[in-house]
Amino acid sequence: MSSATPTKAKKSIQPHRSRLYNNLVPVYQGLWPAVAKRNIRSAIAALNIPTDRKVLEVGVGTGLSLDSYPRDIQLTGVDLSESMLAEAQQLIEERHWHHINVLPMNAESLTFDDDSFEVVSSFHTISVVSNPKAMMSEMIRVCRPGGRILLVNHFRSDNPVIAKVVDSAGNITRHLGWRTDLDIHDVIRGLPLRLDRCYKATPLSIFTIMEATVL
């Protein structure tokens, strides 16, 4: 199956974060699956994505999530890091996944036409881009009205005590390329989106799962 093809004029991609992630590929592959994959798998399964839907994952990385999707969809993954995409492409070829395509692209300026996908997902990416609101706006733009948006990410806790503790680490984490103070309500405020579910897989999880519908 062929996935959606980017047709807008491609804007310049800023390389600074990409270089960081190129260096992090071995760490990402070694440690991140144990931390993140269970939430990602359950979140995708909960969407019950119908057959032949066009799905976009923004920030696909090395392809950690790819085997969690149904095989009867058309899946496109994009990421700023070409080193990570090379790992994802190798996995796609090894598994003979003909329904998946990956492309280098900036999450804040996607080069797809409006309304190109029925589902747009992103896992642990929106807190590492320079402009989270721009990324969310782009995810909504390329998703058809009535389509679904799925996020799994760390967001600032509603508990003021927990939020203060986590915020104290912000100066350190920002140097590593991600932020801890991102508020999900700030990210989606004013956008044509209906928030359907916002929950944690377990009470002690630091990650939030968000399901929403494009209006």
Side-chain angles (χ1 to χ4, degrees), residues 3 6-7 49 62 75 83 88 117 139 167-168 180 193:
S3 295
T7 56
I49 302 173
T62 60
L75 175 60
S83 293
F117 301 92
M139 290 176 64
D167 287 351
S168 67
T180 59
L193 198 67

Side-chain angles (χ1 to χ4, degrees), residues 39 42-43 150-152 197-201 207-211:
N39 282 345
S42 63
L150 173 65
L151 284 184
V152 179
R197 297 180 71 198
C198 192
Y199 65 99
K200 295 182 182 293
F207 301 121
T208 297
I209 300 170
M210 185 202 85
E211 297 176 15

Side-chain angles (χ1 to χ4, degrees), residues 3 6-7 30 40 46 63 69 87 93 97 104 108 110-111 114 129-130 135 139 143 152 170 173 177 181 197 214:
S3 295
T7 56
I40 292 172
Y69 290 94
E87 299 292 333
E93 293 172 2
W97 287 335
E108 298 171 43
L110 300 173
T111 58
D114 296 355
V129 300
S130 58
M135 174 179 158
M139 290 176 64
C143 190
V152 179
T173 60
D181 62 345
R197 297 180 71 198
V214 176

Side-chain angles (χ1 to χ4, degrees), residues 13-74:
I13 294 177
Q14 300 300 318
H16 64 293
R17 294 191 185 276
S18 183
R19 285 198 296 269
L20 168 67
Y21 294 129
N22 290 348
N23 295 332
L24 287 178
V25 168
V27 176
Y28 183 94
Q29 289 179 306
L31 298 178
W32 195 239
V35 176
K37 191 161 186 175
R38 181 177 297 179
N39 282 345
I40 292 172
R41 185 181 296 277
S42 63
I44 292 173
L47 283 186
N48 294 314
I49 302 173
T51 299
D52 291 332
R53 292 299 191 268
K54 291 183 178 180
V55 179
L56 172 67
E57 182 177 327
V58 179
V60 71
T62 60
L64 168 70
S65 63
L66 295 180
D67 65 351
S68 298
Y69 290 94
R71 301 292 189 269
D72 56 0
I73 64 171
Q74 301 177 50

